[in-house]
Amino acid sequence: MDWEHQNPRVGWLCIGITLYQLGTPFIPCRFRAFYTENCRWGHCSYTHSTTYNYSLSKVGTTEGRQKYVPFTRHSAQTTLQIFRLAAAYRSRVYPTREGKRILEFIYSSKQFKTKGGLTAGTATTHYYASQEFKLKQEKTNSFTCSPQEVISGGDYKQTTYCHLLLGLFFSDQVEFVTSTFAYSIVQAFSSLEDHWQELCSDIRQGTLSSRINPPKMRKAVLDIMVSPNPSLASKIEESCKELQRVDWFGLVPKLWPNAKYVYSIMTGSMQPYMKKLRHYSGNLPLVSADYGSTESWIGVNLDPSLPPEDVTFAVIPTFSYFEFIPLYRQNKDCNSVLDDFIEDAPIPLSQVKIGQEYEIVLTTFTGLYRYRLGDVVEVAGFHNGTPKLNFICRRKLILTVNIDKNTEKDLQMVVERGSQLLSKSNAELVDFTSHADTVNQPGHYIIYWEIKGQIDDTILQHCCTEMDASFVDHGYVVSRRTTSIGPLELRIVESGTFKKILDCFIANGSALSQFKTPRCTRNQVLLRILNFCTIKTFRSRAYD
């Protein structure tokens, strides 16, 4: 007899799963948008969640558009659960002192009521306003440096300034530095480079800069900084002068001497910020945060000692019902531009195999049924029967003109190779994005760079050519050789351009905690910003 017949309960469970799969189709994003739009109008019968605890999370997509997903008490509870679980594993490797502080660069935006009477806002806004956020601090016995009035201040520049000020005020108590995404930490320390003298002045005099406007935020900060502290200000001032001389290398251990590590999401689209984050962190370890999405948490980092490039995430089976679509790479000669994978039938979590790539499908407790997440993962192993996943990339193609197929990961590798030439001139790449120009013929790729430092045009021309030659996709190489795709174009934008893009997203309702620089955009508003700020243009000489 086979295993299912020996275990009747398992057999009935397998039958139930099969019937569920047969009777419930996959839900692509466009249909989910239809359901959540109806929920905004108050038609919550589309979900199985109880309406008295139901709200909507507003999520910014990589194109700057807003989408909505369900958020319930269960969402906040699973967030608390994974934070406590992750903290337990981190404390084994990096023990921290109880009752001390966390320097958290966290941001929430305003909540609002939809026409259907539901509360809407970003997922982080919902969580930071929840009881679970307060419980997290109590349960882990570690407390954020900033009060709620700072976190919910609304203006990310003013909030960042207060985070830095209070972080420096509690500098000896800070156990680790964290934010949702690595980008937010890099942005905060970039702000510190610009405003350290003003921060020291506030600590010395026990005052708060006039740049901080909200009365509640001002009062909350000044209630903590009850008296001037000239000795601390002088110590920080001297440290900043030393850091300036070494281009702010090792900023974190210098200013926060008791910090054990830096903790954030560092995989996927956050990888380009790793170099700068390591520069700021010096010899402190970088610990990758856990794997999740606004729709559901997925897995926890069980080995915080691993570098972010090698991290795996153990799936927590109770957070959602997980299915996995096996994916197989297409032959190089395949001319399909719709996708780069061949799919097999979806399988449950218990049947995944090591080394196989999958797309994750979620059925959540908040009302999403068989929702295709779009993440490609690889099974790296198992922990007590649950799979450990490597995040590979987002599934959708982001750059395509003809028969070429290049993903976000392909673009990151190409930009990394091209930007290596910058180090010879003591310049660095601040940020980048791209666009597939199909209006001008032949169509071609445009990559936008913002650079810090002076660099010769000859080197930038080499960077452009190196990137073009580094795309290895067969469709791209063939198209370049036959000139059906034109030479890659590198456009250098002026300093501060990507902050203007950030401001555009924030003005559209996003929070800094959830912002990701779009790696490829068709958004006309963003393209107008990029093109208006372009100061230099180079065309590849590869394939000449």
Side-chain angles (χ1 to χ4, degrees):
M1 295 177 68
D2 59 22
W3 190 62
E4 285 82 357
H5 286 103
Q6 294 174 3
N7 298 270
R9 290 184 180 178
V10 174
W12 282 111
L13 178 61
C14 292
I15 293 171
I17 291 173
T18 301
L19 291 173
Y20 173 69
Q21 292 175 337
L22 289 173
T24 310
F26 287 131
I27 300 178
C29 186
R30 62 183 183 275
F31 290 114
R32 191 277 307 278
F34 169 77
Y35 292 139
T36 52
E37 280 299 310
N38 276 276
C39 287
R40 288 179 64 193
W41 288 88
H43 305 306
C44 289
S45 59
Y46 286 109
T47 70
H48 62 62
S49 296
T50 49
T51 55
Y52 66 84
N53 230 4
Y54 195 89
S55 57
L56 294 175
S57 290
K58 186 169 62 169
V59 186
T61 68
T62 56
E63 280 296 302
R65 292 176 286 101
Q66 299 297 328
K67 65 178 183 179
Y68 292 85
V69 298
F71 189 97
T72 68
R73 181 70 185 275
H74 181 269
S75 309
Q77 289 172 338
T78 56
T79 300
L80 173 61
Q81 183 180 349
I82 198 167
F83 281 3
R84 291 181 63 186
L85 182 61
Y89 278 100
R90 291 199 308 277
S91 65
R92 293 180 181 181
V93 183
Y94 308 110
T96 56
R97 298 171 296 171
E98 290 190 354
K100 298 302 179 180
R101 299 277 178 172
I102 307 169
L103 176 51
E104 290 189 276
F105 296 104
I106 51 180
Y107 308 81
S108 65
S109 56
K110 291 182 179 180
Q111 294 177 314
F112 63 93
K113 289 288 186 180
T114 68
K115 292 183 179 180
L118 296 177
T119 302
T122 65
T124 49
T125 298
H126 287 316
Y127 175 66
Y128 297 141
S130 71
Q131 186 64 29
E132 280 74 15
F133 178 63
K134 298 175 184 177
L135 281 173
K136 186 206 80 166
Q137 299 185 73
E138 296 171 5
K139 296 294 184 181
T140 59
N141 204 16
S142 296
F143 302 90
T144 184
C145 292
S146 300
Q148 185 64 37
E149 291 82 356
V150 170
I151 298 169
S152 60
D155 185 309
Y156 78 91
K157 295 176 183 177
Q158 296 185 51
T159 297
T160 298
Y161 185 91
C162 292
H163 281 325
L164 289 168
L165 181 63
L166 294 172
L168 292 169
F169 184 79
F170 292 116
S171 55
D172 287 338
Q173 298 183 41
V174 170
E175 292 293 297
F176 63 93
V177 178
T178 184
S179 186
T180 306
F181 292 125
Y183 172 85
S184 301
I185 302 177
V186 170
Q187 286 295 306
F189 291 153
S190 175
S191 178
L192 176 62
E193 291 184 38
D194 296 332
H195 302 299
W196 65 270
Q197 291 172 314
E198 192 173 2
L199 290 162
C200 289
S201 176
D202 281 347
I203 294 172
R204 178 176 285 109
Q205 299 174 23
T207 57
L208 183 57
S209 168
S210 59
R211 71 174 62 248
I212 309 303
N213 298 318
K216 290 183 179 180
M217 187 188 296
R218 291 188 64 85
K219 182 179 185 303
V221 173
L222 291 173
D223 283 348
I224 295 172
M225 298 174 53
V226 291
S227 61
N229 195 334
S231 60
L232 176 61
S234 297
K235 179 183 175 182
I236 294 171
E237 190 174 51
E238 187 60 34
S239 295
C240 288
K241 289 178 180 178
E242 292 178 20
L243 288 166
Q244 266 192 321
R245 290 193 286 269
V246 293
D247 193 27
W248 300 92
F249 176 81
L251 177 155
V252 178
K254 186 72 173 178
L255 296 180
W256 293 280
N258 293 312
K260 310 298 189 302
Y261 54 89
V262 177
Y263 179 64
S264 186
I265 293 174
M266 302 177 188
T267 53
S269 59
M270 293 298 113
Q271 286 182 349
Y273 305 110
M274 293 294 296
K275 183 178 180 181
K276 191 65 175 179
L277 194 56
R278 283 198 167 99
H279 181 83
Y280 284 135
S281 301
N283 59 356
L284 279 186
L286 301 182
V287 180
S288 181
D290 308 297
Y291 177 29
S293 64
T294 306
E295 291 83 0
S296 172
W297 283 103
I298 297 168
V300 63
N301 179 3
L302 299 182
D303 192 351
S305 62
L306 287 176
E309 294 84 354
D310 300 328
V311 70
T312 62
F313 305 97
V315 177
I316 309 297
T318 55
F319 284 172
S320 292
Y321 175 66
F322 295 95
E323 296 175 82
F324 295 83
I325 301 174
L327 301 175
Y328 303 93
R329 302 281 177 175
Q330 292 186 357
N331 296 327
K332 291 184 177 180
D333 294 330
C334 180
N335 291 330
S336 170
V337 296
L338 297 177
D339 205 349
D340 198 27
F341 294 99
I342 297 172
E343 298 180 358
D344 207 341
I347 59 174
L349 178 145
S350 59
Q351 295 179 17
V352 297
K353 298 178 180 178
I354 294 176
Q356 175 65 50
E357 291 182 346
Y358 300 93
E359 179 187 352
I360 298 177
V361 179
L362 301 171
T363 296
T364 72
F365 289 93
T366 58
L368 298 177
Y369 292 85
R370 305 197 82 192
Y371 174 70
R372 297 181 72 144
L373 192 59
D375 286 1
V376 177
V377 297
E378 180 183 5
V379 177
F382 291 89
H383 176 81
N384 293 336
T386 193
K388 295 194 295 183
L389 307 178
N390 280 324
F391 178 84
I392 303 299
C393 63
R394 291 288 294 168
R395 181 169 182 183
K396 66 180 181 179
L397 301 172
I398 65 166
L399 279 173
T400 179
V401 172
N402 190 356
I403 62 170
D404 49 309
K405 301 181 287 286
N406 284 296
T407 65
E408 180 180 6
K409 188 173 183 180
D410 298 324
L411 177 64
Q412 287 180 2
M413 293 172 65
V414 164
V415 170
E416 185 176 346
R417 286 199 62 176
S419 61
Q420 287 174 356
L421 301 173
L422 298 178
S423 58
K424 298 177 181 179
S425 300
N426 295 320
E428 67 176 87
L429 180 64
V430 175
D431 218 331
F432 69 94
T433 189
S434 65
H435 171 62
D437 183 0
T438 56
V439 175
N440 299 300
Q441 296 300 317
H444 64 287
Y445 295 174
I446 302 174
I447 297 180
Y448 298 88
W449 278 11
E450 182 179 326
I451 297 173
K452 181 181 179 182
Q454 298 297 319
I455 186 166
D456 189 79
D457 286 358
T458 305
I459 295 177
L460 289 173
Q461 179 61 62
H462 287 319
C463 292
C464 180
T465 301
E466 178 67 23
M467 286 193 293
D468 197 12
S470 296
F471 281 108
V472 296
D473 172 68
H474 183 67
Y476 184 79
V477 173
V478 169
S479 298
R480 283 289 286 115
R481 286 175 177 167
T482 59
T483 68
S484 57
I485 292 181
L488 181 143
E489 188 176 351
L490 172 62
R491 296 186 183 181
I492 307 300
V493 297
E494 63 187 15
S495 177
T497 297
F498 281 86
K499 285 191 177 179
K500 292 179 181 178
I501 291 175
L502 169 62
D503 290 340
C504 180
F505 274 73
I506 298 296
N508 199 29
S510 297
L512 182 58
S513 293
Q514 293 185 287
F515 174 75
K516 300 177 185 178
T517 299
R519 293 306 172 204
C520 180
T521 185
R522 292 172 293 179
N523 185 308
Q524 292 302 309
V525 175
L526 300 189
L527 288 173
R528 281 196 292 270
I529 294 173
L530 291 163
N531 293 331
F532 180 79
C533 294
T534 296
I535 54 177
K536 292 181 180 180
T537 300
F538 302 88
R539 281 190 173 270
S540 168
R541 294 171 183 165
Y543 303 97
D544 284 355

